[in-house]
Amino acid sequence: MIELRDLHKSFGDKNVLRGIDLTIPNGETMCIIGKSGCGKSVLLKHIVRLLEPDTGSVWVDGINIATLGHDDLFEKRRSIGFVFQGAALFDSMTVYENVIIGLYEHGEKDLKILDGEARRVLAAVGLLPDISENGTPLFEKEYQNLRAKKPSDLSGGMRKRVGVARALVGSPTYVFYDEPTTGLDPVTSEQIDNLIADLASKLNVTSLVITHDMFSVFKIADRVAMLEAGIVRFEGTAEELQATTNPSVVEFLERYV
Ligand SMILES: Nc1ncnc2c1ncn2[C@@H]1O[C@H](COP(=O)(O)OP(=O)(O)OP(=O)(O)O)[C@@H](O)[C@H]1O
Ligand SMILES: [Mg+2]
């Protein structure tokens, strides 16, 4: 479970978060919506302590992450996969290197383990046929072909999938997606939505999805939180979101969606 308690964060005189309270229970998919620049990415970065709050606290699995030392924080971060806004792949690296870099940098140098994990996550995101028998030669050519590709050889949808595959390395409990469908055509967006929903149910990951895309919200969200003026202005199911008469929400849905 993730809990944000009265989170405040300013940059200079810009008060971005002004008392965020939010709980994400395990097993849930929560979508976070809100206008551009309202602090959605900033909020997400607090949960992995890429940013530290001015006041307030972030609790992951009952632990206040501000209290963790370097090693424990690193360990805690391994339970969270992060799909960054815009996929953020390294252009000069191959698909394989992009996927396993975190594991490698964490000290795993056994090529067999790295290779096995790359196959597992690339299959999990649908870039390889889903095979249960390890190392079957049947799809060897497909795998070798894919693993050597560079991000520039891939379509936008495939790049997003590689970004998701990287987040799944090490079987995290939580996966955060920052705008996973932005910039994709509607069909590819729907495929990514299906992937997010599939991973949530098959791998039982708890998902936190920042999105502008209300189709995604209705497809994947168990709950929705809308940020406005630095607080959670609305929290509820997608149906409750649609039915609410809260003026801020109504305005947002009319003007921005
Ligand atoms: N490291 C930083 N230093 C200074 N200002 C920052 C920093 N990170 C974010 N901000 C500011 O905080 C505000 C919220 O940024 P954030 O990236 O969270 O917006 P967002 O809701 O994710 O927007 P978008 O939908 O466009 O991605 C913005 O005004 C941004 O300029
Ligand atoms: Mg953002």
Side-chain angles (χ1 to χ4, degrees):
M1 184 162 80
I2 294 171
E3 290 173 274
L4 311 179
R5 294 190 193 155
D6 200 21
L7 218 55
H8 286 74
K9 180 70 175 180
S10 298
F11 296 104
D13 57 4
K14 195 172 213 170
N15 303 320
V16 178
L17 306 182
R18 303 176 182 210
I20 297 278
D21 286 299
L22 194 63
T23 299
I24 303 120
N26 280 20
E28 227 177 54
T29 296
M30 176 172 275
C31 285
I32 298 187
I33 60 174
K35 294 175 197 170
S36 202
C38 74
K40 304 181 296 297
S41 296
V42 164
L43 185 155
L44 221 54
K45 286 175 185 164
H46 276 83
I47 309 177
V48 285
R49 225 173 102 185
L50 286 173
L51 288 171
E52 310 230 350
D54 299 330
T55 59
S57 54
V58 176
W59 300 72
V60 179
D61 305 327
I63 294 166
N64 179 349
I65 61 161
T67 63
L68 296 176
H70 178 272
D71 290 354
D72 289 337
L73 176 63
F74 219 78
E75 210 44 50
K76 185 50 78 193
R77 278 192 186 145
R78 276 159 63 87
S79 70
I80 301 174
F82 208 128
V83 184
F84 287 95
Q85 196 160 358
L89 300 178
F90 298 105
D91 291 333
S92 61
M93 291 186 188
T94 63
V95 164
Y96 170 74
E97 289 162 345
N98 264 290
V99 165
I100 55 87
I101 177 129
L103 195 55
Y104 182 82
E105 286 189 341
H106 195 259
E108 183 56 72
K109 304 282 154 102
D110 184 329
L111 291 181
K112 235 177 153 169
I113 291 177
L114 293 169
D115 192 71
E117 189 63 354
R119 286 169 195 257
R120 186 184 73 79
V121 296
L122 289 169
V125 299
L127 284 171
L128 288 175
D130 194 4
I131 41 160
S132 35
E133 316 98 89
N134 246 345
T136 170
L138 203 55
F139 302 114
E140 194 57 28
K141 225 169 81 195
E142 285 87 341
Y143 171 64
Q144 294 302 339
N145 191 14
L146 173 67
R147 84 169 239 159
K149 284 200 155 71
K150 295 276 180 65
S152 57
D153 304 328
L154 306 174
S155 69
M158 288 173 86
R159 278 201 289 275
K160 295 275 179 177
R161 284 178 195 266
V162 173
V164 176
R166 175 167 62 191
L168 295 178
V169 167
S171 304
T173 311
Y174 307 97
V175 180
F176 299 167
Y177 303 85
D178 196 345
E179 309 260 9
T181 62
T182 299
L184 300 178
D185 64 63
V187 173
T188 312
S189 292
E190 196 177 351
Q191 289 168 350
I192 297 294
D193 288 339
N194 289 336
L195 172 65
I196 293 171
D198 259 19
L199 294 173
S201 64
K202 284 191 194 140
L203 304 181
N204 199 27
V205 289
T206 302
S207 313
L208 197 50
V209 186
I210 295 182
T211 184
H212 278 115
D213 184 342
M214 291 310 286
F215 284 110
S216 300
V217 170
F218 286 109
K219 182 133 201 167
I220 65 179
D222 294 312
R223 294 181 75 73
V224 190
M226 183 185 135
L227 303 193
E228 192 198 46
I231 62 162
V232 176
R233 183 68 73 190
F234 170 89
E235 195 190 338
T237 64
E239 290 69 32
E240 286 165 352
L241 179 80
Q242 252 190 335
T244 185
T245 54
N246 179 325
S248 300
V249 180
V250 173
E251 193 219 330
F252 175 78
L253 294 178
E254 279 175 0
R255 295 190 59 192
Y256 292 87
V257 175

